[in-house]
Coordinates of all heavy atoms in Angstrom, one line a residue:
M157 N 0.8 -1.2 0.0 CA 0.0 0.0 0.0 C 0.9 1.2 0.0 O 1.9 1.3 0.7 CB -0.9 0.0 1.2 CG -2.0 1.1 1.2 SD -3.2 0.9 2.4 CE -4.1 -0.5 1.9
D158 N 0.5 2.2 -0.8 CA 1.3 3.5 -0.8 C 1.1 4.3 0.4 O 0.1 4.2 1.1 CB 0.8 4.3 -2.1 CG 1.3 3.6 -3.4 OD1 2.3 2.9 -3.4 OD2 0.6 3.8 -4.4
E159 N 2.0 5.2 0.6 CA 1.9 6.2 1.7 C 1.8 7.6 1.2 O 2.3 7.9 0.1 CB 3.2 6.1 2.6 CG 3.3 4.8 3.3 CD 4.6 4.8 4.2 OE1 5.1 5.9 4.5 OE2 4.9 3.7 4.7
I160 N 1.1 8.4 1.9 CA 0.9 9.8 1.6 C 1.3 10.6 2.9 O 0.9 10.2 4.0 CB -0.5 10.2 1.2 CG1 -0.9 9.5 -0.1 CG2 -0.7 11.7 1.1 CD1 -2.3 9.7 -0.5
V161 N 2.1 11.6 2.7 CA 2.5 12.4 3.9 C 1.9 13.8 3.7 O 2.0 14.4 2.6 CB 4.1 12.6 3.9 CG1 4.4 13.5 5.1 CG2 4.7 11.3 4.1
L162 N 1.1 14.2 4.7 CA 0.5 15.5 4.6 C 1.2 16.5 5.6 O 1.4 16.2 6.7 CB -1.0 15.4 5.0 CG -1.9 14.5 4.2 CD1 -3.2 14.4 4.8 CD2 -2.0 15.1 2.8
R163 N 1.5 17.6 5.1 CA 2.2 18.6 5.9 C 1.4 19.9 6.0 O 0.6 20.1 5.1 CB 3.6 19.0 5.3 CG 4.6 17.8 5.3 CD 5.9 18.3 4.7 NE 7.0 17.5 4.5 CZ 7.2 16.2 4.5 NH1 6.2 15.5 4.7 NH2 8.3 15.6 4.3
D164 N 1.6 20.6 7.0 CA 1.0 22.0 7.2 C -0.5 21.9 7.2 O -1.2 22.8 6.7 CB 1.4 22.9 6.1 CG 2.9 23.1 6.0 OD1 3.5 23.2 7.1 OD2 3.5 23.2 4.9
L165 N -1.1 20.9 7.9 CA -2.5 20.8 8.1 C -2.9 21.7 9.3 O -2.1 21.8 10.2 CB -3.0 19.4 8.4 CG -3.0 18.4 7.3 CD1 -3.3 17.0 7.8 CD2 -4.0 18.8 6.2
D166 N -4.0 22.4 9.2 CA -4.5 23.2 10.3 C -4.7 22.3 11.5 O -5.2 21.1 11.4 CB -5.8 23.9 10.0 CG -5.6 24.9 8.9 OD1 -4.5 25.5 8.8 OD2 -6.6 25.2 8.2
Q167 N -4.3 22.8 12.7 CA -4.5 22.0 13.9 C -6.0 21.6 14.1 O -6.3 20.5 14.6 CB -4.0 22.7 15.1 CG -4.0 21.9 16.4 CD -3.2 20.6 16.3 OE1 -2.1 20.6 15.8 NE2 -3.8 19.5 16.7
E168 N -6.9 22.5 13.7 CA -8.3 22.2 13.9 C -8.7 20.9 13.1 O -9.4 20.1 13.5 CB -9.1 23.3 13.4 CG -10.6 23.1 13.4 CD -11.5 24.1 12.8 OE1 -10.9 25.2 12.4 OE2 -12.7 23.9 12.7
I169 N -8.1 20.8 11.9 CA -8.4 19.6 11.0 C -7.9 18.3 11.7 O -8.6 17.3 11.8 CB -7.8 19.7 9.6 CG1 -8.3 21.0 8.9 CG2 -7.9 18.5 8.8 CD1 -9.7 20.8 8.3
V170 N -6.7 18.4 12.2 CA -6.0 17.3 12.9 C -6.8 16.9 14.1 O -7.1 15.7 14.3 CB -4.6 17.6 13.2 CG1 -3.9 16.4 14.0 CG2 -3.8 17.9 12.0
T171 N -7.3 17.9 14.9 CA -8.1 17.6 16.1 C -9.4 16.9 15.7 O -9.8 16.0 16.3 CB -8.3 18.9 16.8 OG1 -7.0 19.5 17.2 CG2 -9.1 18.7 18.1
R172 N -10.0 17.5 14.7 CA -11.3 16.9 14.3 C -11.2 15.5 13.8 O -12.0 14.6 14.1 CB -12.0 17.8 13.2 CG -12.5 19.1 13.8 CD -13.0 20.1 12.8 NE -14.1 19.5 12.0 CZ -14.6 20.0 10.9 NH1 -14.1 21.0 10.3 NH2 -15.6 19.4 10.3
L173 N -10.1 15.2 13.0 CA -9.9 13.9 12.5 C -9.6 12.9 13.7 O -10.1 11.8 13.7 CB -8.7 13.8 11.5 CG -9.0 14.3 10.1 CD1 -7.8 14.6 9.4 CD2 -9.9 13.3 9.4
A174 N -8.8 13.4 14.7 CA -8.5 12.5 15.8 C -9.8 12.2 16.6 O -10.0 11.1 17.1 CB -7.4 13.2 16.7
E175 N -10.6 13.2 16.8 CA -11.9 13.0 17.5 C -12.8 12.1 16.8 O -13.4 11.2 17.4 CB -12.6 14.4 17.8 CG -11.9 15.3 18.8 CD -12.4 16.7 18.8 OE1 -13.3 17.0 18.0 OE2 -12.0 17.4 19.7
R176 N -12.8 12.2 15.5 CA -13.7 11.4 14.7 C -13.1 9.9 14.7 O -13.9 9.0 14.8 CB -13.7 11.9 13.3 CG -14.6 11.2 12.3 CD -14.7 11.8 11.0 NE -15.3 11.0 10.0 CZ -15.9 11.3 9.0 NH1 -16.0 12.6 8.7 NH2 -16.5 10.5 8.2
A177 N -11.8 9.8 14.6 CA -11.2 8.5 14.7 C -11.5 7.8 16.0 O -11.9 6.6 16.1 CB -9.7 8.6 14.5
A178 N -11.4 8.6 17.1 CA -11.6 8.0 18.4 C -13.1 7.6 18.6 O -13.4 6.5 19.1 CB -11.3 9.0 19.5
G179 N -14.0 8.4 18.0 CA -15.4 8.1 18.1 C -15.8 6.9 17.2 O -16.7 6.2 17.6
N180 N -15.0 6.6 16.2 CA -15.2 5.4 15.4 C -14.3 4.2 15.8 O -14.3 3.2 15.1 CB -15.0 5.7 13.9 CG -16.1 6.6 13.4 OD1 -17.3 6.5 13.8 ND2 -15.8 7.6 12.5
N181 N -13.6 4.4 16.9 CA -12.7 3.3 17.4 C -11.7 2.8 16.4 O -11.5 1.6 16.2 CB -13.6 2.2 17.9 CG -13.3 1.8 19.3 OD1 -12.6 2.4 20.0 ND2 -13.9 0.7 19.7
R182 N -11.0 3.7 15.7 CA -10.0 3.3 14.8 C -8.8 4.4 14.8 O -9.0 5.5 15.3 CB -10.5 3.1 13.4 CG -11.2 4.3 12.8 CD -11.7 3.9 11.4 NE -12.9 4.8 11.1 CZ -13.9 4.3 10.4 NH1 -14.1 3.1 10.1 NH2 -14.9 5.2 10.2
P183 N -7.6 4.0 14.4 CA -6.5 4.9 14.4 C -6.8 6.1 13.4 O -7.6 5.9 12.4 CB -5.3 4.1 13.9 CG -5.8 2.7 14.0 CD -7.3 2.6 14.0
I184 N -6.1 7.2 13.6 CA -6.4 8.3 12.7 C -6.1 8.0 11.3 O -6.7 8.5 10.4 CB -5.6 9.6 13.2 CG1 -6.1 10.8 12.5 CG2 -4.1 9.4 13.1 CD1 -5.6 12.1 13.2
E185 N -5.0 7.2 11.0 CA -4.7 6.8 9.6 C -5.9 6.1 8.9 O -6.2 6.4 7.8 CB -3.5 6.0 9.6 CG -2.2 6.6 10.0 CD -2.0 6.6 11.5 OE1 -2.9 6.1 12.2 OE2 -1.0 7.2 12.0
Q186 N -6.5 5.2 9.6 CA -7.7 4.5 9.1 C -8.8 5.5 8.9 O -9.6 5.3 7.9 CB -8.1 3.3 10.0 CG -7.1 2.2 9.9 CD -7.6 1.0 10.8 OE1 -8.6 1.1 11.4 NE2 -6.7 0.0 10.8
E187 N -9.0 6.4 9.8 CA -10.1 7.4 9.7 C -9.9 8.2 8.4 O -10.8 8.5 7.7 CB -10.2 8.2 10.9 CG -11.4 9.1 10.9 CD -12.7 8.3 11.0 OE1 -12.8 7.2 11.5 OE2 -13.7 8.9 10.4
I188 N -8.6 8.7 8.2 CA -8.3 9.5 7.0 C -8.6 8.7 5.8 O -9.2 9.2 4.8 CB -6.9 10.0 7.1 CG1 -6.7 11.0 8.2 CG2 -6.5 10.6 5.8 CD1 -5.3 11.4 8.6
A189 N -8.2 7.4 5.7 CA -8.5 6.6 4.6 C -10.0 6.4 4.3 O -10.4 6.5 3.2 CB -7.8 5.2 4.7
H190 N -10.7 6.3 5.4 CA -12.2 6.2 5.3 C -12.8 7.4 4.8 O -13.6 7.4 3.9 CB -12.7 5.8 6.7 CG -14.2 5.8 6.7 ND1 -14.9 4.7 6.3 CD2 -15.1 6.6 7.2 CE1 -16.2 4.9 6.4 NE2 -16.4 6.1 7.0
V191 N -12.4 8.6 5.3 CA -12.9 9.9 4.8 C -12.6 10.0 3.3 O -13.4 10.5 2.5 CB -12.3 11.0 5.6 CG1 -12.6 12.4 4.9 CG2 -12.8 11.0 7.0
L192 N -11.4 9.7 2.9 CA -11.0 9.8 1.5 C -11.8 8.9 0.6 O -12.3 9.2 -0.5 CB -9.5 9.5 1.3 CG -8.6 10.6 1.8 CD1 -7.1 10.2 1.8 CD2 -8.8 11.9 1.1
R193 N -12.0 7.6 1.0 CA -12.8 6.7 0.3 C -14.3 7.2 0.1 O -14.8 7.1 -1.0 CB -12.8 5.3 0.9 CG -11.7 4.4 0.6 CD -11.9 3.0 1.0 NE -12.0 2.9 2.5 CZ -11.0 2.8 3.3 NH1 -9.8 2.8 2.9 NH2 -11.3 2.7 4.6
Q194 N -14.8 7.7 1.2 CA -16.2 8.3 1.1 C -16.2 9.5 0.1 O -17.2 9.6 -0.6 CB -16.7 8.7 2.5 CG -17.1 7.6 3.3 CD -17.8 8.1 4.6 OE1 -17.3 9.0 5.2 NE2 -18.9 7.4 5.0
A195 N -15.3 10.3 0.2 CA -15.2 11.5 -0.6 C -15.1 11.2 -2.1 O -15.7 11.8 -2.9 CB -14.1 12.5 -0.2
L196 N -14.3 10.2 -2.4 CA -14.0 9.9 -3.8 C -15.0 8.9 -4.4 O -15.2 8.9 -5.6 CB -12.6 9.3 -3.9 CG -11.5 10.3 -3.6 CD1 -10.1 9.6 -3.6 CD2 -11.5 11.5 -4.5
G197 N -15.6 8.1 -3.6 CA -16.5 7.1 -4.1 C -15.7 6.0 -4.8 O -14.5 6.0 -4.8
P198 N -16.4 5.0 -5.3 CA -15.7 3.8 -5.9 C -15.0 4.3 -7.1 O -15.5 5.1 -7.9 CB -16.9 2.9 -6.3 CG -18.0 3.3 -5.5 CD -17.9 4.8 -5.2
A199 N -13.8 3.8 -7.3 CA -12.9 4.2 -8.4 C -13.6 3.9 -9.8 O -13.5 4.7 -10.7 CB -11.6 3.5 -8.3
D200 N -14.2 2.8 -9.9 CA -14.9 2.4 -11.2 C -16.0 3.4 -11.5 O -16.1 3.8 -12.7 CB -15.5 1.0 -11.1 CG -14.4 0.0 -11.0 OD1 -13.2 0.3 -11.3 OD2 -14.7 -1.2 -10.6
D201 N -16.8 3.8 -10.6 CA -17.9 4.8 -10.8 C -17.3 6.1 -11.3 O -17.8 6.7 -12.3 CB -18.7 5.0 -9.6 CG -19.6 3.8 -9.2 OD1 -19.6 2.9 -10.0 OD2 -20.1 3.8 -8.1
L202 N -16.3 6.6 -10.6 CA -15.7 7.9 -10.9 C -15.1 7.9 -12.3 O -15.4 8.8 -13.2 CB -14.7 8.3 -9.9 CG -14.1 9.7 -10.1 CD1 -15.2 10.8 -10.0 CD2 -13.1 9.9 -9.0
S203 N -14.3 6.9 -12.6 CA -13.6 6.9 -13.9 C -14.6 6.6 -15.0 O -14.5 7.2 -16.1 CB -12.5 5.9 -13.9 OG -13.0 4.6 -13.6
E204 N -15.6 5.8 -14.8 CA -16.6 5.5 -15.8 C -17.5 6.8 -16.1 O -17.8 7.1 -17.2 CB -17.5 4.4 -15.3 CG -18.5 3.9 -16.4 CD -17.8 3.3 -17.6 OE1 -16.7 2.8 -17.5 OE2 -18.4 3.5 -18.7
R205 N -17.8 7.5 -15.0 CA -18.6 8.8 -15.3 C -17.8 9.8 -16.1 O -18.3 10.4 -16.9 CB -19.0 9.4 -13.9 CG -20.1 8.7 -13.2 CD -20.6 9.4 -12.0 NE -19.5 9.7 -11.2 CZ -19.4 9.5 -9.9 NH1 -20.4 8.9 -9.3 NH2 -18.4 9.8 -9.2
R206 N -16.5 9.8 -15.8 CA -15.6 10.8 -16.5 C -15.5 10.4 -18.0 O -15.6 11.2 -18.9 CB -14.2 10.8 -15.9 CG -14.2 11.6 -14.6 CD -12.8 11.7 -14.1 NE -12.8 12.5 -12.9 CZ -11.9 12.4 -11.9 NH1 -10.9 11.6 -12.1 NH2 -12.0 13.2 -10.9
R207 N -15.4 9.0 -18.2 CA -15.3 8.6 -19.6 C -16.6 8.8 -20.3 O -16.6 9.2 -21.5 CB -15.0 7.1 -19.7 CG -13.5 6.8 -19.5 CD -13.2 5.3 -19.8 NE -13.8 4.4 -18.9 CZ -13.3 4.0 -17.8 NH1 -12.2 4.4 -17.3 NH2 -14.0 3.1 -17.0
D208 N -17.8 8.6 -19.7 CA -19.1 8.8 -20.3 C -19.2 10.3 -20.6 O -19.7 10.6 -21.7 CB -20.2 8.4 -19.3 CG -20.3 6.9 -19.2 OD1 -19.7 6.1 -20.0 OD2 -21.1 6.4 -18.3
A209 N -18.9 11.1 -19.7 CA -19.0 12.6 -19.9 C -18.1 13.0 -21.1 O -18.5 13.8 -21.9 CB -18.6 13.4 -18.7
A210 N -16.9 12.5 -21.1 CA -16.0 12.9 -22.2 C -16.5 12.4 -23.6 O -16.4 13.1 -24.6 CB -14.6 12.3 -22.0
R211 N -17.1 11.1 -23.6 CA -17.7 10.6 -24.9 C -18.8 11.5 -25.3 O -19.0 11.8 -26.5 CB -18.1 9.2 -24.7 CG -16.9 8.2 -24.8 CD -17.4 6.8 -24.9 NE -18.1 6.3 -23.7 CZ -17.5 5.6 -22.7 NH1 -16.3 5.2 -22.9 NH2 -18.2 5.2 -21.7
A212 N -19.7 11.8 -24.3 CA -20.9 12.6 -24.7 C -20.5 14.0 -25.2 O -21.0 14.5 -26.2 CB -21.8 12.8 -23.4
A213 N -19.5 14.6 -24.6 CA -19.0 15.9 -25.0 C -18.4 15.8 -26.4 O -18.6 16.7 -27.3 CB -18.0 16.5 -24.0
A214 N -17.6 14.8 -26.7 CA -17.0 14.6 -28.0 C -18.1 14.4 -29.0 O -18.0 15.0 -30.1 CB -16.1 13.4 -28.0
R215 N -19.1 13.6 -28.7 CA -20.2 13.4 -29.7 C -21.0 14.6 -30.0 O -21.4 14.9 -31.1 CB -21.1 12.3 -29.2 CG -22.2 11.9 -30.1 CD -21.7 11.3 -31.4 NE -22.8 11.0 -32.3 CZ -22.8 11.1 -33.6 NH1 -21.7 11.6 -34.2 NH2 -23.8 10.8 -34.3
A216 N -21.2 15.4 -28.9 CA -21.9 16.7 -29.1 C -21.1 17.6 -30.0 O -21.7 18.3 -30.9 CB -22.2 17.4 -27.8
R217 N -19.8 17.7 -29.9 CA -19.0 18.5 -30.8 C -19.0 18.0 -32.2 O -19.1 18.7 -33.2 CB -17.5 18.5 -30.3 CG -17.3 19.4 -29.0 CD -15.9 19.6 -28.7 NE -15.2 18.3 -28.4 CZ -15.2 17.8 -27.1 NH1 -15.7 18.4 -26.2 NH2 -14.5 16.7 -26.9
E218 N -19.0 16.6 -32.4 CA -19.2 16.1 -33.7 C -20.5 16.5 -34.4 O -20.5 16.8 -35.6 CB -19.1 14.5 -33.7 CG -17.7 14.0 -33.3 CD -17.8 12.5 -33.1 OE1 -18.8 11.8 -33.4 OE2 -16.8 11.9 -32.6
I219 N -21.5 16.4 -33.6 CA -22.9 16.7 -34.2 C -22.9 18.2 -34.5 O -23.4 18.6 -35.6 CB -24.0 16.3 -33.2 CG1 -24.1 14.8 -33.1 CG2 -25.3 16.9 -33.6 CD1 -24.9 14.3 -32.0
A220 N -22.4 19.0 -33.6 CA -22.4 20.5 -33.9 C -21.6 20.8 -35.1 O -22.0 21.7 -35.9 CB -21.9 21.2 -32.7
A221 N -20.5 20.1 -35.4 CA -19.7 20.3 -36.5 C -20.3 20.0 -37.8 O -19.9 20.4 -38.9 CB -18.3 19.6 -36.4
M222 N -21.4 19.1 -37.8 CA -22.1 18.7 -39.0 C -23.0 19.9 -39.6 O -23.3 19.8 -40.7 CB -23.0 17.5 -38.7 CG -22.2 16.3 -38.4 SD -23.5 15.0 -38.1 CE -22.5 13.8 -37.3
T223 N -23.3 20.8 -38.7 CA -24.2 21.9 -39.2 C -23.3 23.0 -39.7 O -22.5 23.6 -39.0 CB -25.0 22.4 -38.0 OG1 -25.7 21.3 -37.4 CG2 -26.0 23.5 -38.4
P224 N -23.6 23.4 -41.0 CA -22.9 24.5 -41.6 C -23.1 25.8 -40.8 O -24.2 26.0 -40.3 CB -23.4 24.6 -43.0 CG -24.1 23.3 -43.3 CD -24.5 22.8 -41.9
P225 N -22.2 26.7 -40.7 CA -22.4 28.0 -40.0 C -23.5 28.8 -40.7 O -23.7 28.8 -41.9 CB -21.0 28.7 -40.2 CG -20.0 27.7 -40.7 CD -20.8 26.6 -41.3
G226 N -24.3 29.4 -39.8 CA -25.4 30.2 -40.3 C -26.7 29.5 -40.6 O -27.7 30.2 -41.0
V227 N -26.7 28.2 -40.5 CA -27.9 27.4 -40.8 C -28.8 27.4 -39.5 O -28.3 27.0 -38.4 CB -27.6 26.0 -41.2 CG1 -28.9 25.2 -41.4 CG2 -26.9 26.1 -42.5
A228 N -30.0 27.8 -39.6 CA -30.9 27.8 -38.4 C -31.3 26.4 -38.1 O -31.5 25.5 -39.0 CB -32.1 28.6 -38.7
Q229 N -31.4 26.1 -36.8 CA -31.8 24.8 -36.3 C -33.3 24.7 -36.1 O -33.9 25.7 -35.7 CB -31.1 24.5 -35.0 CG -29.6 24.4 -35.1 CD -29.1 23.3 -36.0 OE1 -29.5 22.2 -35.8 NE2 -28.3 23.6 -37.0
T230 N -33.9 23.6 -36.4 CA -35.3 23.4 -36.2 C -35.5 22.9 -34.7 O -34.8 22.1 -34.2 CB -35.9 22.3 -37.1 OG1 -35.6 22.6 -38.4 CG2 -37.4 22.1 -36.9
D231 N -36.5 23.6 -34.1 CA -36.8 23.2 -32.7 C -37.2 21.7 -32.6 O -38.1 21.3 -33.4 CB -37.9 24.1 -32.2 CG -38.2 23.9 -30.7 OD1 -37.6 23.0 -30.1 OD2 -39.0 24.7 -30.1
S232 N -36.6 21.0 -31.8 CA -36.9 19.5 -31.7 C -38.3 19.3 -31.3 O -38.9 18.2 -31.6 CB -35.9 18.8 -30.7 OG -36.0 19.4 -29.4
V233 N -38.9 20.2 -30.5 CA -40.3 20.0 -30.2 C -41.2 20.0 -31.4 O -42.1 19.1 -31.5 CB -40.8 21.2 -29.2 CG1 -42.3 21.1 -29.0 CG2 -40.0 21.1 -27.9
L234 N -40.9 20.8 -32.4 CA -41.7 20.8 -33.6 C -41.5 19.5 -34.4 O -42.5 19.0 -34.9 CB -41.3 22.0 -34.5 CG -41.5 23.4 -33.9 CD1 -41.0 24.5 -34.8 CD2 -43.0 23.6 -33.7
L235 N -40.3 19.0 -34.4 CA -40.0 17.8 -35.1 C -40.8 16.6 -34.4 O -41.3 15.7 -35.1 CB -38.5 17.5 -35.2 CG -37.7 18.5 -36.0 CD1 -36.2 18.2 -35.8 CD2 -38.1 18.4 -37.4
I236 N -40.8 16.6 -33.1 CA -41.4 15.5 -32.4 C -42.9 15.6 -32.6 O -43.6 14.6 -32.9 CB -41.1 15.5 -30.9 CG1 -39.6 15.2 -30.7 CG2 -42.0 14.6 -30.1 CD1 -39.1 15.5 -29.3
R237 N -43.5 16.8 -32.6 CA -44.9 17.0 -32.8 C -45.3 16.5 -34.2 O -46.3 15.8 -34.4 CB -45.3 18.4 -32.5 CG -46.8 18.7 -32.6 CD -47.2 20.0 -32.1 NE -46.9 20.2 -30.7 CZ -46.2 21.2 -30.1 NH1 -45.8 22.1 -30.9 NH2 -46.0 21.2 -28.8
E238 N -44.5 16.9 -35.2 CA -44.8 16.5 -36.6 C -44.8 15.0 -36.7 O -45.6 14.4 -37.4 CB -43.7 17.1 -37.5 CG -43.9 16.8 -38.9 CD -42.7 17.4 -39.8 OE1 -42.5 18.6 -39.6 OE2 -42.1 16.7 -40.5
D239 N -43.8 14.4 -36.1 CA -43.7 12.9 -36.2 C -44.9 12.2 -35.5 O -45.5 11.3 -36.0 CB -42.4 12.4 -35.5 CG -42.2 11.0 -35.8 OD1 -42.3 10.6 -36.9 OD2 -41.8 10.3 -34.8
R240 N -45.4 12.8 -34.4 CA -46.6 12.2 -33.7 C -47.8 12.4 -34.5 O -48.8 11.6 -34.4 CB -46.7 12.8 -32.3 CG -45.7 12.4 -31.3 CD -45.9 13.0 -30.0 NE -44.8 12.6 -29.0 CZ -44.6 13.2 -27.9 NH1 -45.3 14.3 -27.5 NH2 -43.6 12.7 -27.1
D241 N -47.9 13.4 -35.2 CA -49.1 13.7 -36.0 C -49.3 12.8 -37.2 O -50.3 12.8 -37.9 CB -49.2 15.2 -36.4 CG -49.4 16.1 -35.2 OD1 -49.9 15.6 -34.2 OD2 -49.1 17.3 -35.4
R242 N -48.3 12.1 -37.6 CA -48.3 11.2 -38.8 C -49.2 10.1 -38.6 O -49.5 9.5 -37.6 CB -46.9 10.7 -39.1 CG -46.1 11.7 -39.7 CD -44.8 11.1 -40.2 NE -43.7 12.1 -40.1 CZ -42.5 11.8 -40.4 NH1 -42.1 10.7 -40.7 NH2 -41.6 12.8 -40.4

């Protein structure tokens, strides 16, 4: 397991972490790891959400690039209504 060294933390943060660790019956190192895991969430979820967002943004740019400059866009509500009326 990797190690992280934190320097120059406010004493208030250290005190609050120590109190929280004592309240949860674990060493401060385990409490910090627990806080970080909760803050970051599962690694798979985070990286998957980022990949999904990046793919969606790239696709949106591709679609926007298909429209020549100066061409007015049709409101999608009108297109849907027209399709339903068929």
Side-chain angles (χ1 to χ4, degrees):
M157 189 170 292
D158 290 331
E159 290 185 17
I160 296 176
V161 177
L162 299 173
R163 292 180 182 20
D164 300 324
L165 287 175
D166 291 336
Q167 186 57 46
E168 178 188 352
I169 300 283
V170 175
T171 301
R172 290 174 59 194
L173 283 167
E175 290 170 353
R176 184 174 167 154
N180 290 322
N181 233 8
R182 55 182 157 220
I184 193 168
E185 293 85 359
Q186 287 181 4
E187 188 65 30
I188 292 168
H190 177 76
V191 168
L192 290 172
R193 275 193 299 276
Q194 282 187 319
L196 295 175
D200 292 343
D201 290 349
L202 183 61
S203 59
E204 187 62 32
R205 284 189 307 233
R206 286 183 179 154
R207 281 192 297 271
D208 288 348
R211 281 193 294 263
R215 183 65 180 139
R217 285 189 297 274
E218 289 173 12
I219 292 169
M222 291 179 199
T223 304
V227 174
Q229 297 295 307
T230 305
D231 186 353
S232 60
V233 172
L234 297 175
L235 295 173
I236 294 169
R237 186 169 294 130
E238 180 184 312
D239 190 47
R240 287 181 180 163
D241 290 342
R242 286 186 209 178

